[in-house]
Amino acid sequence: MYRKQIRRRRAVFIGLVALAFVMLTVTFGSGSGGVGSAFGAVFGPIQNVASDALKPARDLINWFDDTFEAKGERERLERDLAKARSEAVAGKAAVEQNRQLRKLVGLKSSGRIPSGYRPVTASVVSRSPTMWLSTVGIDRGTADGIEVDDPVVSADGLVGTISAASANEATVTLITDGASAVSVKIVPSGAQGVLRPRIGSAGDLVIEFLDETSGIGQDQSVVTAGWREDDLASLYPPNLPIGEVRDAPLDEREAIQSVSVRAYPDFRNLDLVQVLTGGSRG
Amino acid sequence: MIVTPGILARMAIGAFLALLLQATFFSMIEVFGTSVWILPAFVTCFGLLGGRIIGTSAGFVVGFVSDAMMDAPLGSSSLALMAAGYIGGAIRERAGLPTVPVAGAISGAMTVLASLLTGLILAGVGQGAALAWPALSEVVLQGLYGVLIGMPLFLLFRRLFAPALVADRPSRKRHRDSVLGV
């Protein structure tokens, strides 16, 4: 009796397994082989009613899950955004750097940098923390041939001179520094004078000690004079662009006359500069 | 388990409700990124209460209807659920009626087994590439849900099928010693 029962159980078990395999084989590659549609016809309406009835509960659970998921998604998107932002900034910086380098190359090829000078391109790596923007640090030094008093230009024009240099870095004192004075001339009027900063207003310069005042007008260019006399010479080669005359409220009656100048370089955003090494002063 | 027509009807109703809930509720919710598969726990509980034949048969029927309702290859869920029901039944026959936590743990383990088996079978019939393998973490999560569902389900079935359970049948006769010793 017991053996018969065991045999029957085995037969049922083996039969069910075999039947499952047969069904798998028969319906291979065709879903449920049409049985699904028959079941759908029977269970479909019931399923629809049950589905509608359970929808609020489903929505509630899914809302909780979505909330958890959204939190994780938000954190991931924030990370992605930060990454994309840094890449975009890097891209913009590269574009700007490229623009500046092109202008620097243009400065050289235009002949504004006199022959005999060897330009050394450097990146600005530090800035003076004061509001006066008087000095910047660059990543090139004496190892690259840079010496103290070498003139420094940006893509837009003269920015200053080297005031200190070590092997791999140097400090540039800008022409906006309070102690700076550059002999300049106004073209095409030909008037010469001394360019000094207007302290506290970066980019605003003033020409003093003009040797003549006639013919000076707004928007005329201001360039380095680059004088030489016996053993003395200007630190700057001649004809380096500096800026343009903003206004010229000259009064013949004043003993000291001055001309306001708008500098070409943006001293707040110096990224790349060229140090003019070698060459003769003036 | 002594299967009477009444018990069979209860089992059928239970299976129908489980299938309906699976199709219209548990398959359509996502908890931590994965849906809940209650059928392995359901079949395992049948096996744990009724033995190998009950478990295997329940696995076959539930799997067949489930495949038909979902238009899946017929037999794929049956094989996986039969394995779950059979193992549940074997444990019942060897170790007796388990406690609720043990039943939950077994249900969870059977859910993991059924998930992996279904994946293997579907891969075998050429649908594995389209379905892709579920991530292991999802299988583990489903196992966890199997534990959580298995415990109340076992408790419910034990109460529902109490009249049919041989070991749990309460003895209503009180044996009293006869005065005459008869």
Side-chain angles (χ1 to χ4, degrees), chain B residues 10-86:
Chain B
R10 287 182 196 188
M11 288 169 78
I13 291 168
F16 175 74
L17 287 176
L19 282 160
L20 202 63
L21 278 174
Q22 179 67 61
T24 59
F25 184 72
F26 289 108
S27 292
M28 294 170 81
I29 59 168
E30 277 206 346
V31 185
F32 297 114
T34 184
S35 57
V36 183
W37 196 23
I38 61 163
L39 298 183
F42 177 85
V43 168
T44 305
C45 287
F46 266 28
L48 286 172
L49 290 168
R52 272 183 276 204
I53 285 292
I54 298 283
T56 310
S57 306
F60 179 83
V61 174
V62 169
F64 174 78
V65 179
S66 172
D67 285 340
M69 283 171 78
M70 314 296 173
D71 203 28
L74 287 182
S76 55
S77 295
S78 288
L79 282 171
L81 294 179
M82 277 162 69
Y86 179 84

Side-chain angles (χ1 to χ4, degrees), chain A residues 201-225:
Chain A
S201 178
D204 278 352
L205 306 164
V206 60
I207 302 173
E208 296 172 345
F209 308 112
L210 286 160
D211 60 353
E212 59 177 287
T213 56
S214 60
I216 298 175
Q218 211 168 349
D219 299 334
Q220 288 185 342
S221 295
V222 178
V223 298
T224 53

Side-chain angles (χ1 to χ4, degrees), chain A residues 9 12-13 16-17 19-21 23-24 27-28 31-32 35-36 39 43 46-47 50-51 54 57-58 61-62 65, chain B residues 16 21 23-25 28-33 53 56 60 64-65 68-69 71-74 79 82 86 93 121 125:
Chain A
R9 286 168 61 173
V12 169
F13 181 70
L16 288 175
V17 172
L19 190 58
F21 273 110
M23 285 192 307
L24 259 179
T27 60
F28 177 76
S32 62
V35 180
F39 264 82
F43 286 104
I46 303 167
Q47 258 182 294
S51 183
L54 292 169
R58 264 196 334 252
I61 291 174
N62 283 334
D65 188 61
Chain B
F16 175 74
L21 278 174
T24 59
F25 184 72
M28 294 170 81
I29 59 168
E30 277 206 346
V31 185
F32 297 114
I53 285 292
T56 310
F60 179 83
F64 174 78
V65 179
M69 283 171 78
D71 203 28
L74 287 182
L79 282 171
M82 277 162 69
Y86 179 84
E93 287 172 13
I121 293 164
V125 296

Side-chain angles (χ1 to χ4, degrees), chain A:
Chain A
M1 179 70 181
Y2 182 66
R3 281 185 180 176
K4 193 179 171 186
Q5 197 177 6
I6 287 176
R7 274 204 299 272
R8 200 177 65 194
R9 286 168 61 173
R10 277 184 186 161
V12 169
F13 181 70
I14 292 167
L16 288 175
V17 172
L19 190 58
F21 273 110
V22 168
M23 285 192 307
L24 259 179
T25 311
V26 170
T27 60
F28 177 76
S30 61
S32 62
V35 180
S37 54
F39 264 82
V42 177
F43 286 104
I46 303 167
Q47 258 182 294
N48 290 342
V49 171
S51 183
D52 289 345
L54 292 169
K55 192 175 184 304
R58 264 196 334 252
D59 290 347
L60 183 70
I61 291 174
N62 283 334
W63 179 81
F64 277 111
D65 188 61
D66 288 348
T67 305
F68 275 109
E69 202 174 294
K71 195 169 175 247
E73 185 77 358
R74 193 193 71 188
E75 284 166 4
R76 189 184 67 76
L77 287 172
E78 277 176 355
R79 282 197 302 273
D80 286 354
L81 180 65
K83 191 182 167 196
R85 194 177 282 152
S86 69
E87 283 173 359
V89 168
K92 280 183 183 172
V95 168
E96 175 60 20
Q97 196 177 43
N98 183 274
R99 189 186 66 79
Q100 289 188 27
L101 283 167
R102 281 175 183 277
K103 285 174 83 173
L104 283 171
V105 170
L107 200 68
K108 171 76 175 168
S109 58
S110 68
R112 284 183 172 173
I113 295 175
S115 60
Y117 283 94
R118 188 177 65 85
V120 174
T121 304
S123 293
V124 173
V125 292
S126 63
R127 289 172 202 279
S128 165
T130 68
M131 63 179 286
W132 314 114
L133 299 166
S134 57
T135 60
V136 294
I138 58 173
D139 63 349
R140 294 279 188 272
T142 53
D144 302 290
I146 290 172
E147 292 176 15
V148 172
D149 290 338
D150 280 344
V152 181
V153 296
S154 75
D156 298 312
L158 183 73
V159 294
T161 53
I162 298 292
S163 55
S166 62
N168 295 310
E169 58 184 20
T171 303
V172 179
T173 297
L174 304 176
I175 58 175
T176 52
D177 185 83
S180 169
V182 184
S183 57
V184 296
K185 63 182 177 189
I186 300 170
V187 287
S189 79
Q192 293 201 7
V194 177
L195 184 77
R196 293 184 55 79
R198 185 167 282 165
I199 302 299
S201 178
D204 278 352
L205 306 164
V206 60
I207 302 173
E208 296 172 345
F209 308 112
L210 286 160
D211 60 353
E212 59 177 287
T213 56
S214 60
I216 298 175
Q218 211 168 349
D219 299 334
Q220 288 185 342
S221 295
V222 178
V223 298
T224 53
W227 56 267
R228 174 184 285 276
E229 193 167 325
D230 297 331
D231 290 339
L232 288 175
S234 168
L235 294 175
Y236 308 99
N239 300 320
L240 287 176
I242 295 174
E244 60 189 17
V245 176
R246 186 199 296 272
D247 56 54
L250 299 171
D251 190 335
E252 292 286 345
R253 289 167 297 184
E254 286 187 13
I256 299 173
Q257 294 159 335
S258 63
V259 170
S260 182
V261 175
R262 183 193 303 115
Y264 289 137
D266 182 0
F267 296 102
R268 286 191 180 89
N269 294 301
L270 288 174
D271 289 322
L272 287 169
V273 294
Q274 277 188 329
V275 184
L276 307 181
T277 62
S280 60
R281 299 288 185 257

